[in-house]
Each structure stands twice: as C-alpha cells, then as structure tokens.
Amino acid sequence: MSQNETCNCKDETCECGGNCQCGCECCGGGGHFQRRFQTKAEQIEELEAYLAELKLEVEAVEEHLADLRK
C-alpha cells in the first residue's frame, strides 16, 4: 500500500508515530513484525535521552526567567 492511498502522512515521517495501523510504509506497514517490548538497555537509553531533554528545558526556562527579571 502506498503512502497516498490511506495514510494522512504529510511526509516520510508519519505524524501518528506509527500507531495509526494504516499500513503505509512510514507507519510500519507491509505485514512486517513490529516489536511491542523494549529491552532493559533500550528503556535505559530512552529514559536517559528523555532526561537530557528535560534538563535542557529546565535550563531554557531558567534563562527565560533571568531575562524577564532584568
């Protein structure tokens, strides 16, 4: 199934994150097996990346607050 047949994707990266089950290539279509579970190492890697993003967000908020207080 092509991307244009049933998918509302605007480009190669589907907005649904691959959860729409439309069957297009960008959503993991084509009848291929999709994993449901992550290994412990994958979970740790994902959480560490999330923590790094949160730290950057805190830094940005602190900078914004400092600018506002000037």
Side-chain angles (χ1 to χ4, degrees), residues 33-52:
F33 174 77
Q34 292 184 3
R35 292 177 49 204
R36 295 183 184 192
F37 300 97
Q38 293 179 316
T39 65
K40 187 176 182 177
E42 289 171 327
Q43 289 177 356
I44 290 170
E45 181 180 340
E46 189 173 300
L47 286 171
E48 286 176 343
Y50 179 57
L51 179 60

Side-chain angles (χ1 to χ4, degrees), residues 1-67:
M1 173 180 317
S2 75
Q3 182 175 352
N4 296 328
E5 288 180 24
T6 60
C7 187
N8 293 325
C9 301
K10 296 195 184 339
D11 56 32
E12 294 297 318
T13 304
C14 184
E15 293 178 352
C16 71
N19 295 321
C20 69
Q21 307 290 326
C22 70
C24 73
E25 291 176 8
C26 65
C27 295
H32 297 288
F33 174 77
Q34 292 184 3
R35 292 177 49 204
R36 295 183 184 192
F37 300 97
Q38 293 179 316
T39 65
K40 187 176 182 177
E42 289 171 327
Q43 289 177 356
I44 290 170
E45 181 180 340
E46 189 173 300
L47 286 171
E48 286 176 343
Y50 179 57
L51 179 60
E53 288 180 36
L54 289 174
K55 287 179 178 180
L56 289 172
E57 183 71 12
V58 167
E59 184 179 337
V61 169
E62 288 172 341
E63 288 176 3
H64 188 65
L65 278 171
D67 287 343

